Amino acid sequence: MHLDRIDILRAFAIILVFLYHAQIILFPTYKIDSFDPQGILEFASTRDALLNLSPVAFGWSGVQLFLIISGFLIHLGYLRGVDKGRIFSGREFFSKRFWRIYPPYVLALLFFCFAIQGGRYLTRPDRIADLASHLFLVHNLSDTTFFTINPAFWSIALEAQLYVIFPILLLLRKKLGIARVLIGTVLLAILLGLIKPFASPSIGDNAYGTSVFAFWYIWCAGAFLAERFHTGKTIFGQRRTALLISMMSFTLMTFSICTKATAPFTVPLSVLAWISFFEWFLYFPLNERHTRSIPFRAGVVIGLCSYSIYLFHQPYLRSIMRFFGDYGFFPAAVMIKLAVSFAIIVLLSYSLYVFVELPSIAIGAKRRAARKNRAIAEA
């Protein structure tokens, strides 16, 4: 299933992630995470406050938007299949997911392994184990391998694990309904947050805090929106109500980091902000003038190749930006450098989309069609 407006949302997500990583490169020490005795975030200067409270500083929330989009599209595809009388097939589902994400991922994985580390991933036992954990998409289960090879890859492993438990979601939905499943996953995330101090230190904060069950509610939120959309219903009522809730949630998310007591609500607020924005955008009336405009078409292209952008942008972003010279932090120079760097990455990623992603999807479709034809012939 393909919806152009979903590609626009993907473009939002990947641009946010790109700008977030670019800000880390430009201002490597900008992040403030210390609180005073009253539990207030300690900004040393106005510059610190601006960098930490700017929309770019929350570019990590693009990952949450990607998870919501994934839950929405996969569950909507399932629902439309049910309407056509199709029974869920785990084999077909996992085949589609495998050919959609794994071959491009392995290409990126091997490229960064040997481009950055040379032969160490073939000779050193610790590097071999690291590579194996990435190949089996379990590297996000330990902080030791969480950010190795390519720091962006942790969420690919998370996505794959969410696919694995999708049949469980369908089973729970059948028994409880999607609304109760969403509430249950929210409660599960809260429980995991409460017992985090008692978890084994060997797991690590990153592996624990972004585990598949801690983030399952984000994916389920997308599935819940899909179910409402599929039945012609909304979550937030009128479009303007959804937009208002989104704006309020983004504002609260921004200032939630300022106190120690509210900091844990940052990610849930980002999820609420994105799910309400998603619903608003789903029902936003797009006419031909909108869809034929250059910004819209450019957004669609960026959205189409957003997976390749995500896979390849981060490790060499610093090198690409430095290639164009160091002009300090003169705003115009920084903007031009960011725009040119992003354009280069998009061009390379679009090539990968055309020559790697689409052929991989086509191979998977041919294999499934051949298997189906064999089954019919043998019947």
Side-chain angles (χ1 to χ4, degrees), residues 125-280:
D126 60 327
R127 298 296 186 187
I128 294 172
D130 187 10
L131 175 57
S133 72
H134 280 75
L135 287 171
F136 287 101
L137 292 165
V138 294
H139 56 278
N140 66 323
L141 302 182
S142 169
D143 275 17
T144 305
T145 54
F146 197 89
F147 285 132
T148 57
I149 302 180
N150 183 330
F153 283 174
W154 71 270
S155 65
I156 308 300
L158 172 64
E159 183 81 12
Q161 291 154 20
L162 287 165
Y163 297 155
V164 170
I165 62 175
F166 180 57
I168 298 176
L169 184 147
L170 293 181
L171 180 63
L172 292 173
R173 170 189 172 271
K174 184 177 180 181
K175 293 182 176 297
L176 304 173
I178 191 65
R180 289 179 179 175
V181 172
L182 176 58
I183 293 170
T185 55
V186 170
L187 293 175
L188 177 61
I190 293 171
L191 176 63
L192 290 173
L194 292 174
I195 66 175
K196 184 178 180 181
F198 308 101
S200 171
S202 63
I203 298 176
D205 290 341
N206 290 319
Y208 189 93
T210 62
S211 67
V212 64
F213 293 113
F215 271 18
W216 197 13
Y217 77 97
I218 304 175
W219 206 84
C220 287
F224 179 65
L225 177 59
E227 194 131 342
R228 301 292 289 183
F229 177 73
H230 183 67
T231 57
K233 300 177 182 177
T234 62
I235 299 174
F236 303 99
Q238 297 181 342
R239 274 195 306 114
R240 58 187 174 185
T241 303
L243 183 59
L244 179 61
I245 291 173
S246 178
M247 294 171 65
M248 290 175 60
S249 300
F250 277 125
T251 302
L252 291 172
M253 175 190 73
T254 300
F255 291 101
S256 66
I257 67 167
C258 294
T259 69
K260 197 170 187 179
T262 57
F265 297 100
T266 304
V267 172
L269 283 168
S270 78
V271 175
L272 178 59
W274 280 126
I275 200 73
S276 51
F277 179 82
F278 196 147
E279 180 171 281
W280 170 80

